[in-house]
Amino acid sequence: MRRFAVKPYFDLEGSLKTHRHQDVKEADAHAHCGNCATPRIGMHQTLGAVEHGNQWTCPMHPEIVKESPGSCPKCGMSLEPRHLAMGEEKANPELADMQRRFVGSALMTVPLAALAMAHMLPSMRVDSILSPAWQRGLESVFAIPVVLWGGFPFFQRFWASLIHRSLNMFTLIGLGIGVAFLYSLAATLAPGIFPASFRDGHGQVGVYFEAAAVIVTLVLLGQVLELNSRSRTGAAIKALLGLTPKTARRVRGDAADEEIPLADVRVGDLLRIRPGEKVPVDGKVVDGSSAIDESMVTGEPMPVEKNSGDAVIGATLNGRGSLIMKAEKVGSETMLAQIVRMVSEAQRSRAPIQKLADRVSGYFVPGVVGAAILTFAAWAIWGPQPQFVYALINAVSVLIIACPCALGLATPMSIMVATGKGAASGVLFKNAEAIEVLRQVEVLVLDKTGTLTEGKPQVTAMEALPGWKETDVLRWAAALERSSEHPLAEAVIRYAERPGISIPKVEEFRSLTGKGVRGQVEGHAVALGNLALLRELGVDVSGLGTRTDARRTDGETVLYMTVDGAAAALLAIADPIKPSARAAIAELKRVGLRLVMLTGDDKVTAGAVARKLGLDEVIADALPEGKAAAIKRIQAQGKRVAMAGDGINDAPALAQAEVGIAMGTGTDVAMQSAGVTLVKGDLSGIVRARKLSQATVANIRQNLFFAFIYNALGVPLAAGVLYPFFGILLSPMVAAAAMSFSSVSVIANSLRLKGVRL
């Protein structure tokens, strides 16, 4: 009986987790890999993240994980590296091995095929030189190394499919090659054991060494082409990894700058970025200004101006200016590391549509074996002489031409290419399900702050009332807000930071929750807040309403300022709508989405933003739990919902929706709850994500259609259905070529996604 024990392992963030491990007697604290039933594994760092070392996994069965290259015990496909690491790209040992075997087999197969087919050419009279027995013997000399050495990996996988009771394409290949080769070997060594039904008109027992050898060579060629093509599906991650600079230039005060390896950069280090250099890690500019090309991370082509206080992203390219930055996120915490991690995880996930292929594949191989048996029986009973030879060859053709590999590759290859394409366009999919479901969304629910708007309130206007100087009231307002933690306070301070204005100190500061702030500034009693604060202070507000109604209707927040008990000024503050929001909203409406704003803001402010953008519905004054309930109400109407947000308060709604869309500029909690992350936090990313979702699902359907049609037509042709009408039979060698190229065709079609215009 198999024993199971809970074995701990380290996830991508280095956290200790557990899973069920087979054939392990006891639990310990060593690092074990999920579902691989292996002892201790090594650990290494990729972009600073602690990850599994030397692991290989199957694209069709991501739960299969091994410590070295090889084949999947379920489907027989070659395993791929689970994580791509920084540094020089290493050659795929599986590909190198297949290439060696293909070249060696091809060199032996060419003379073998020429020898076997020489009788078809009148000018070549092999039978005058070699007797039939000697010709069969010479053919076997060429065929044995091809079949036993060149085809050894296929027989290994054939045997593994039987041991693991998981029949796959190599079950069929192993049977087909083995039957043709063993029959030919027996006919060469002991031709007398065969009855007349196996002999031709000259009484000879035919051999098919060339068929077995050509099949091996063509399948090897298919494997080489497939492995080469599959390596291209990870090109997006390799490109991202290649963006990372290898060193950074650390500023050392009065001493000369020090060039250090990227791994030695620590949070808080000051780093110099010279013109044309890459930003080493994530952080903020502390000195200098420049334009930085962030297209490799965000997908946006225009360089972004960076000044003191602005955030910069690791691996982006500095322009002509010189910057000094402070490192804030290094190693696995950088945005690039998180992007690579998310893309890797998404590429290994399974889309719901994959279930169809899985169900079909479960019955496919037994069905093909059954079809081969029926083919053999039909030809043996009703076929022409020599009946059993026809029966054998056509049964082999049926086994060889069937290709469940193409069926299994249809979905994972498209998902791998699509996630890479999305990453290069600033769209990160958490899993394959998000890619498939996003195209079906009917209602898009949008948070306001940080999603539709910048999330950084700005003072749009300031009006000093008669008798007061604008410079004075602005200085006093900034003095009060400097001591406040309210989100609007920063907007006032930024507005006051202009040449010639000095901000004085405040005394006796008090924050009045829900109303505003007050204190003593330069001998004056100053207060700044809403109408409720003015009423509490006994200030006459009767004449202020007409001044503020229009601004509030337009979505602006109005702050009132009093000095020594009298109204002194008005400040209008608004959260600007993102520049790309209008165009993105128009495009989303054009494709038929119903757009709903869901916000905790009041109805007046939310309504003003919704009118400017042309949204279909507004749900205002929503608490975090209320946002999730609002999503449920829409879903209860039978609608598929996507939710876009960026804050902690959006996390429940993001998790409730069929697809959660997080702004990359938002909180980590929101991104963890979402199925899609927009790196730049730009609504145009939703348009790109939806287009990619539609293109990917269409591509998967094309792959599945091709795989189904190929087998639906190929198996009957190989069985010889055309022979009674046209005298046409499909050679096992042609069947092998068709089988090999069917998988390559599916991969080639998947790679077309790289050219989709988003």
Side-chain angles (χ1 to χ4, degrees):
M1 180 179 294
R2 305 192 71 148
R3 293 186 293 272
F4 291 83
V6 175
K7 300 299 293 181
Y9 70 101
F10 289 92
D11 67 1
L12 296 180
E13 288 76 30
S15 304
L16 191 66
K17 303 215 175 164
T18 61
H19 65 84
R20 297 184 68 83
H21 232 274
Q22 296 185 6
D23 300 326
V24 179
K25 297 181 180 179
E26 62 183 15
D28 58 31
H30 296 315
H32 280 70
C33 178
N35 300 321
C36 65
T38 58
R40 181 196 302 267
I41 61 172
M43 309 294 287
H44 73 279
Q45 290 194 338
T46 298
L47 290 171
V50 179
E51 298 179 344
H52 296 75
N54 303 322
Q55 288 187 349
W56 297 70
T57 187
C58 175
M60 286 170 56
H61 301 93
E63 71 276 11
I64 301 298
V65 181
K66 291 188 176 182
E67 292 185 58
S68 59
S71 58
C72 173
K74 288 188 175 182
C75 65
M77 284 181 60
S78 299
L79 302 181
E80 297 178 341
R82 190 177 184 187
H83 300 288
L84 295 174
M86 289 175 57
E88 184 178 352
E89 184 178 348
K90 297 181 179 179
N92 183 345
E94 187 79 8
L95 174 58
D97 180 61
M98 289 294 179
Q99 288 174 329
R100 283 193 301 270
R101 293 179 188 273
F102 167 68
V103 172
S105 297
L107 292 175
M108 301 293 286
T109 300
V110 170
L112 170 59
L115 182 63
M117 299 179 182
H119 66 279
M120 299 181 182
L121 301 176
S123 60
M124 297 184 67
R125 302 290 299 174
V126 177
D127 55 349
S128 64
I129 303 173
L130 298 174
S131 67
W134 275 97
Q135 184 174 347
R136 288 196 296 267
L138 188 57
E139 288 180 16
S140 69
V141 170
F142 285 110
I144 288 174
V146 174
V147 173
L148 298 185
W149 174 74
F152 181 71
F154 308 146
F155 290 118
Q156 275 187 316
R157 297 175 189 187
F158 163 74
W159 183 249
S161 72
L162 300 180
I163 295 298
H164 292 93
R165 299 178 183 177
S166 180
L167 304 184
N168 53 54
M169 66 172 288
F170 291 101
T171 311
L172 304 179
I173 292 172
L175 277 174
I177 297 172
V179 168
F181 177 73
L182 292 177
Y183 164 79
S184 300
L185 198 62
T188 300
L189 299 178
I193 66 173
F194 290 90
S197 56
F198 281 88
R199 301 178 182 275
D200 59 21
H202 301 287
Q204 300 294 326
V205 179
V207 294
Y208 296 93
F209 286 119
E210 85 285 357
V214 170
I215 290 172
V216 169
T217 303
L218 289 174
V219 175
L220 284 169
L221 174 61
Q223 289 290 294
V224 170
L225 294 175
E226 180 182 319
L227 288 167
N228 265 318
S229 299
R230 279 166 54 188
S231 67
R232 294 171 58 193
T233 61
I237 298 184
K238 294 174 185 176
L240 288 172
L241 289 169
L243 294 174
T244 310
K246 305 299 184 291
T247 61
R249 194 174 301 278
R250 184 159 56 193
V251 178
R252 300 179 59 189
D254 296 334
D257 294 347
E258 174 188 17
E259 187 169 351
I260 59 174
L262 189 66
D264 292 344
V265 176
R266 298 291 179 262
V267 174
D269 284 351
L270 293 180
L271 307 174
R272 188 183 304 278
I273 311 167
R274 298 185 298 188
E277 291 184 339
K278 291 180 179 179
V279 178
V281 295
D282 296 0
K284 281 189 177 180
V285 177
V286 296
D287 187 39
S289 63
S290 184
I292 291 185
D293 180 2
E294 297 181 341
S295 60
M296 62 285 296
V297 176
T298 65
E300 297 296 329
M302 295 300 294
V304 182
E305 290 291 333
K306 300 291 183 180
N307 297 290
S308 181
D310 290 338
V312 289
I313 304 171
T316 54
L317 184 63
N318 185 27
R320 297 183 177 181
S322 181
L323 301 172
I324 294 180
M325 65 167 289
K326 182 178 181 181
E328 293 186 339
K329 293 182 178 180
V330 301
S332 63
E333 300 301 318
T334 64
M335 180 178 290
L336 182 62
Q338 294 180 51
I339 290 174
V340 171
R341 186 160 57 241
M342 288 185 68
V343 174
S344 297
E345 293 295 331
Q347 289 186 340
R348 292 196 303 273
S349 62
R350 297 169 71 82
I353 198 172
Q354 177 71 22
K355 295 177 182 178
L356 172 63
D358 289 344
R359 286 197 299 269
V360 173
S361 296
Y363 298 101
F364 186 82
V365 176
V368 171
V369 174
I373 293 173
L374 290 175
T375 299
F376 184 90
W379 281 91
I381 297 172
W382 296 296
Q385 291 294 333
Q387 293 169 298
F388 279 92
V389 173
Y390 277 107
L392 178 68
I393 294 305
N394 288 311
V396 169
S397 294
V398 170
L399 291 172
I400 294 299
I401 200 169
C403 187
C405 183
L407 191 62
L409 283 171
T411 298
M413 289 299 107
S414 295
I415 294 299
M416 290 180 71
V417 177
T419 50
K421 173 72 174 179
S425 304
V427 178
L428 304 179
F429 289 98
K430 187 176 184 179
N431 50 47
E433 183 177 2
I435 299 178
E436 182 176 341
V437 175
L438 183 58
R439 69 180 184 87
Q440 302 171 330
V441 166
E442 303 162 274
V443 179
L444 176 60
V445 178
L446 301 157
D447 175 48
K448 182 181 79 69
T449 305
T451 303
L452 292 169
T453 64
E454 296 283 1
K456 294 181 179 180
Q458 299 177 6
V459 175
T460 57
M462 180 173 182
E463 181 182 352
L465 300 181
W468 300 98
K469 290 183 179 181
E470 182 176 323
T471 304
D472 289 339
V473 293
L474 179 58
R475 291 172 58 247
W476 299 337
L480 281 178
E481 296 290 26
R482 179 177 277 177
S483 300
S484 173
E485 296 180 354
H486 195 277
L488 298 182
E490 187 178 349
V492 176
I493 295 170
R494 284 199 306 268
Y495 186 73
E497 290 177 341
R498 58 178 69 176
I501 292 183
S502 60
I503 301 177
K505 294 182 179 180
V506 63
E507 298 175 350
E508 301 178 22
F509 174 83
R510 289 181 60 192
S511 177
L512 308 173
T513 305
K515 297 177 182 178
V517 293
R518 59 187 298 186
Q520 292 288 326
V521 183
E522 295 184 338
H524 297 282
V526 183
L528 183 65
N530 55 23
L531 284 174
L533 176 63
L534 269 64
R535 293 191 183 99
E536 181 179 299
L537 296 175
V539 177
D540 181 16
V541 298
S542 57
L544 299 178
T546 56
R547 294 175 177 268
T548 61
D549 288 345
R551 292 191 178 279
R552 296 187 68 243
T553 303
D554 202 36
E556 296 179 334
T557 299
V558 179
L559 299 181
Y560 304 88
M561 184 174 177
T562 69
V563 180
D564 296 331
L570 305 175
L571 281 84
I573 300 178
D575 188 2
I577 293 174
K578 290 184 175 180
S580 62
R582 287 183 173 84
I585 292 296
E587 176 64 19
L588 291 167
K589 292 189 71 173
R590 189 188 66 79
V591 298
L593 288 179
R594 176 185 164 204
L595 304 179
V596 178
M597 180 195 290
L598 179 59
T599 179
D601 277 359
D602 62 83
K603 293 182 179 179
V604 175
T605 303
V609 174
R611 284 194 302 274
K612 292 177 181 177
L613 294 175
L615 302 181
D616 299 309
E617 183 182 348
V618 177
I619 303 174
D621 298 314
L623 298 174
E625 58 272 19
K627 289 187 175 185
I631 299 292
K632 289 182 181 179
R633 287 196 297 271
I634 299 173
Q635 291 171 327
Q637 301 170 9
K639 304 293 185 181
R640 287 182 176 268
V641 181
M643 165 72 188
D646 74 326
I648 294 175
N649 61 333
D650 297 321
L654 291 171
Q656 176 62 38
E658 273 81 5
V659 181
I661 303 173
M663 303 293 115
T665 52
T667 63
D668 291 341
V669 174
M671 286 185 275
Q672 291 169 6
S673 303
V676 181
T677 298
L678 308 180
V679 175
K680 196 178 179 182
D682 193 322
L683 282 181
S684 60
I686 299 179
V687 178
R688 294 196 295 270
R690 186 174 170 85
K691 287 181 179 178
L692 184 56
S693 171
Q694 293 170 331
T696 303
V697 174
N699 190 268
I700 290 173
R701 287 176 172 172
Q702 292 165 5
N703 288 344
L704 290 173
F705 175 80
F706 176 82
F708 280 126
I709 290 298
Y710 166 82
N711 286 291
L713 296 177
V715 171
L717 286 176
V721 295
L722 297 180
Y723 185 80
F725 309 102
F726 306 105
I728 297 175
L729 286 176
L730 198 66
S731 164
M733 294 180 283
V734 176
M739 182 275 297
S740 298
F741 285 103
S742 64
S743 297
V744 177
S745 300
V746 166
I747 296 174
N749 187 55
S750 300
L751 289 171
R752 290 195 310 110
L753 284 172
K754 297 174 71 174
V756 172
R757 295 187 64 180
L758 302 179

